[in-house]
Amino acid sequence: MPTLALSPELQSKIVHSLSSSPTQTTTTLHALCLTSKSFYREAEPHLYASLSLTSPQQAYLACRTLAANKRLAKLVRAFWFNDETQNRNNGHGLPRRFWEGIRSALAGMKKLQRLCLFDTELSNAWILDPAGYTTISSNTSTIAFEPPFQLHEAKLHFTWDTHLVSFLSTQRALNTLQTFDIIEDAVPRLPLPEGSLPLLQRFDGTLMVAHNILRLGCPLTNLQAAIEDGVHAPEYVLGFLRRLAGVGKTLKALSVLEMPEGLAGDAVDIIVSLCPNLMYIGLVPLPPVHRHTIYAPLTRLRNLHTAHFDLTTWTPHPEVRAQRAIACEVRTFCPGIANVVFWVGNTRTRWTWVVQQGRHHCYEHGEKREVGQWHSQMEVGQYPTFDHMWSLV
């Protein structure tokens, strides 16, 4: 009995439903491609639109295919490589041939928007250097040495060197940037050329690189910067915070990691003075005593709804009831706050203020206040570096 052919519209809806479902994988789309030629035509663009690769062998074979087939390379919108076998490589990095394969594939990804590359050796940023690409302008037929794509998001775990700086200077549409670099000295990092990254709104990286980003005058709305332990003098850290004046009107979320407890009071005061529109602040070391030195400046942040505090140095570590009391303290000073997060080492406890249904307000000492209660959620095995709440504001 002959099978009933599906209409192109129905096939398109099936493919779109599968590709947009968070529970479906590329394996499902691949199986659909093998069903019929018509399904193959519909599913192929979705199959190649986003490539997330975790095996070096798998990634190398995929890049060989893309390098040899420019039509398929043009379908790629997002490319992600993170070597999950790195702990089994006996400390040896991937060979140069592997990275050359990735560069050859990238050369054909003209519509690439999201790029995530994680190099365990941090030494292969050369694959992004504009000198390795040749792009011919369709309007003027001139040859330019720059990648054929304009990224919107980039997560690049490479050393901050001339190759990476040259690449970023070509990315005029970049909105979100994450970099990772091991800082062992206080030597300033290479600056980006003036006018680079004109659309950058979110940055996550080391304090030194963030210092360079602030010099550009990008319209930053979300910023996370990690202080390198034992590298930066207190004056350098406070000097960096004073540079926030350039983004004070646009910045909505600020996360400063590894802040020394002795600097917390001065740091928060500078941050609040320069960035009055913050809705998120972290990771603030909260002292066991004289906590009002931290709370008092925060009262000036009228839009603040999320704050992260580091309680790691407390002895003993505060238990749940003690944390609830501290959350109440924070809300006493900042009545509009809805999320208070406490970090104790790698344990994160989220406290969320939930307004009681049917009774939204009461009057306390003549002031109108919300009626609600705190709900908590404890999570172990967490790392502030990988917490993304600051980027979601």
Side-chain angles (χ1 to χ4, degrees), residues 25 44 54 61 103 106 149 156 160 165 191 194 199-200 219 242 308 324 331 337 342 370-371 381 388:
T25 64
E44 185 187 54
T54 56
L61 292 176
R103 183 173 66 174
L106 290 175
F149 47 78
L156 307 171
W160 186 268
V165 168
E194 186 176 349
L199 301 182
L200 189 68
R242 293 187 183 99
H308 285 227
R324 184 188 299 273
R331 188 166 171 80
I337 204 161
F342 296 123
E370 285 183 330
V371 176
H388 298 298

Side-chain angles (χ1 to χ4, degrees), residues 202-225:
R202 294 176 178 83
F203 175 76
D204 178 12
T206 61
L207 193 74
M208 280 188 172
V209 176
H211 207 284
N212 287 336
I213 297 295
L214 289 178
R215 288 173 177 161
L216 296 175
C218 306
L220 289 176
T221 59
N222 303 67
L223 171 63
Q224 177 165 275

Side-chain angles (χ1 to χ4, degrees), residues 373-386:
Q373 58 184 349
W374 289 106
H375 290 191
S376 67
Q377 179 182 2
M378 180 183 293
E379 301 163 290
V380 299
Q382 304 297 312
Y383 297 88
T385 304
F386 303 121

Side-chain angles (χ1 to χ4, degrees), residues 134-187:
T134 302
T135 302
I136 302 177
S137 171
S138 58
N139 297 327
T140 62
S141 297
T142 57
I143 298 177
F145 292 101
E146 63 177 41
F149 47 78
Q150 285 293 312
L151 299 176
H152 295 173
E153 179 181 358
K155 296 182 179 181
L156 307 171
H157 284 215
F158 296 114
T159 298
W160 186 268
D161 57 14
T162 54
H163 302 300
L164 189 55
V165 168
S166 297
F167 168 73
L168 292 175
S169 68
T170 68
Q171 298 303 298
R172 295 171 291 278
L174 197 62
N175 174 272
T176 301
L177 173 63
Q178 180 192 74
T179 64
F180 181 83
D181 192 8
I182 296 178
I183 305 296
E184 297 178 346
D185 53 54
V187 177

Side-chain angles (χ1 to χ4, degrees), residues 175 196-203 209-225 239-256 270-280 301 303 390:
N175 174 272
S196 299
L197 308 178
L199 301 182
L200 189 68
Q201 293 185 308
R202 294 176 178 83
F203 175 76
V209 176
H211 207 284
N212 287 336
I213 297 295
L214 289 178
R215 288 173 177 161
L216 296 175
C218 306
L220 289 176
T221 59
N222 303 67
L223 171 63
Q224 177 165 275
F240 164 78
L241 294 177
R242 293 187 183 99
R243 279 195 168 270
L244 293 173
V247 294
K249 293 183 179 180
T250 61
L251 201 64
K252 298 186 298 182
L254 175 65
S255 174
V256 181
I270 293 173
I271 291 169
V272 170
S273 299
L274 299 178
C275 306
N277 300 318
L278 282 180
M279 303 169 68
Y280 172 108
L301 295 178
N303 300 323
W390 67 274

